[in-house]
Amino acid sequence: MLPFKLAYDRRYDLHLGPHIFPSQKYRLVYEALLREKLAEPADFLPPEPASDEDVLRVHSHEYVRKLKTGALSLSELMRLEIPYSPKTVEAFWLAAGGSILAARRALADGFAGNIGGGFHHAFPDHGEGFCMIHDVAIAIRRLQADAAVKAAMVVDTDVHQGNGTAAIFSGDQTVFTLSIHQENNYPLPKPPSNMDLNLPDGVGDAEYLAILEKHLALAFHQFHPDLMVYLGGADPYREDQLGGLALTIEGLRRRDQLVFEHARRHGVPVAITLAGGYARRVDDTVRIHVNTILAARDLAVKQTSGARG
Ligand SMILES: [Zn+2]
């Protein structure tokens, strides 16, 4: 049994067939956690889809109307890079609901996760890079609307810069955005986050972890959030087909630990989302995501037993 809850729905799978985006990974992560007895069925909570009201806190009426009526233009579809269907819309609304649920549960339990989400390339008026709507921004806006949090920090370790996140929260003093990514990669241009760590090609574990650690300390020195939303991208992995960094599976787990340790040190609850992952072997992507959940578990268990002792 996990010391926190995970949002998951089997309809997260977009059933894309032979596509570079392995959206079956959500189901595979869920199944691996159960099969390896790392989690039990009661650890998973089914999300409600986000309401249109929730989505409209981030996205324009015009874009939401196009999504709901199938009215995207050919160029908008090409930019999205995944096929459109009402089921796809349903999957993204559910993933956004999962991130809202994870954010709420994180406030209650210290940690929570969404076995999905992290769609950081979605903008208010369009989607791109496999991201239709921005679940993380929707979750933050919902919790702010509920007065459950005032300030939030987004820590994004996907190999691609969080351009949608940066654009949505640009000029917003209540949300601090940190993105650590490969500079020479999609997206271009990169709208500025509060903190962009632009890494050269081929950076490996030691250098990556040193840069991340230094800047997490700086970020928490500058900003005191009520909630962190973490995007634990699996694509800084050295075997990733869409990434050019060189982290190992062990290095990625250290990365997750580092982020969670900083949050715990500052008493900040963490909601985890998965974001990208395009390893040659989908099993590696699944392992990296499972490890993110385990890194949170290990720290949550340690904290609990520490408090008891
Ligand atoms: Zn990515």
Side-chain angles (χ1 to χ4, degrees):
M1 191 178 128
L2 288 170
F4 50 80
K5 298 296 181 189
L6 299 171
Y8 172 72
D9 191 293
R10 50 196 290 278
R11 289 170 292 172
Y12 283 0
D13 189 345
L14 304 176
H15 298 283
L16 297 176
H19 190 285
I20 187 78
F21 173 24
S23 69
Q24 72 275 24
K25 75 178 186 178
Y26 306 122
R27 176 176 52 80
L28 296 175
V29 170
Y30 166 76
E31 288 173 357
L33 285 165
L34 287 175
R35 187 178 60 245
E36 297 171 24
K37 307 214 180 308
L38 302 168
E40 55 189 43
D43 295 329
F44 296 93
L45 299 176
E48 293 285 322
S51 67
D52 290 353
E53 188 188 1
D54 290 333
V55 176
L56 288 166
R57 286 194 190 92
V58 171
H59 295 281
S60 69
H61 277 91
E62 177 64 4
Y63 180 48
V64 171
R65 183 192 62 77
K66 285 181 190 169
L67 290 175
K68 300 214 100 172
T69 58
L72 295 177
S73 69
L74 188 57
S75 71
E76 286 171 318
L77 286 169
M78 287 178 67
R79 207 167 180 190
L80 194 54
E81 295 187 84
I82 45 172
Y84 174 89
S85 75
K87 278 215 172 301
T88 306
V89 174
E90 178 188 47
F92 277 95
W93 255 249
L94 269 169
S99 292
I100 293 170
L101 179 57
R104 278 215 189 100
R105 293 298 309 207
L107 295 181
D109 300 333
F111 280 106
N114 184 10
I115 305 300
F119 297 114
H120 59 164
H121 301 311
F123 283 73
D125 64 352
H126 74 273
E128 59 178 72
F130 318 145
C131 301
M132 187 175 270
I133 58 173
H134 200 306
D135 59 293
V136 171
I138 290 166
I140 290 171
R141 289 298 188 226
R142 172 59 191 267
L143 265 65
Q144 287 181 324
D146 291 345
V149 303
K150 283 200 182 80
M153 179 184 283
V154 179
V155 173
D156 184 344
T157 62
D158 190 281
V159 79
H160 306 100
Q161 192 244 7
N163 55 344
T165 320
I168 289 165
F169 294 119
S170 167
D172 183 335
Q173 305 298 318
T174 68
V175 181
F176 187 97
T177 56
L178 184 160
S179 178
I180 179 167
H181 51 262
Q182 183 191 5
E183 180 165 27
N184 178 31
N185 201 330
Y186 168 87
L188 278 172
K190 296 173 174 55
S193 314
N194 291 98
M195 203 175 266
D196 279 303
L197 310 180
N198 290 298
L199 303 181
D201 299 358
V203 164
D205 292 347
E207 193 182 348
Y208 183 101
L209 293 169
I211 292 168
L212 180 60
E213 175 150 42
K214 179 178 162 203
H215 288 87
L216 282 169
L218 282 170
F220 276 104
H221 187 70
Q222 287 179 30
F223 196 80
H224 302 285
D226 306 309
L227 171 73
M228 176 197 285
V229 183
Y230 180 54
L231 288 81
D235 48 12
Y237 179 43
R238 62 183 176 186
E239 298 285 330
D240 197 88
Q241 300 173 90
L242 297 184
L245 298 183
L247 275 73
T248 64
I249 290 181
E250 184 49 35
L252 288 159
R253 186 167 174 157
R254 282 286 306 131
R255 168 200 71 172
D256 298 335
Q257 271 172 8
L258 201 58
V259 173
F260 301 154
E261 281 166 7
H262 276 266
R264 290 314 288 252
R265 198 175 301 159
H266 294 270
V268 177
V270 180
I272 297 163
T273 64
L274 299 190
Y278 316 93
R280 278 173 246 298
R281 291 158 20 102
V282 73
D283 286 357
D284 287 349
T285 296
V286 169
R287 184 57 41 203
I288 293 162
H289 289 315
V290 166
N291 284 347
T292 302
I293 304 304
L294 297 185
R297 177 202 65 182
D298 292 348
L299 204 58
V301 167
K302 207 162 96 187
Q303 294 270 332
T304 312
S305 53
R308 260 203 307 271

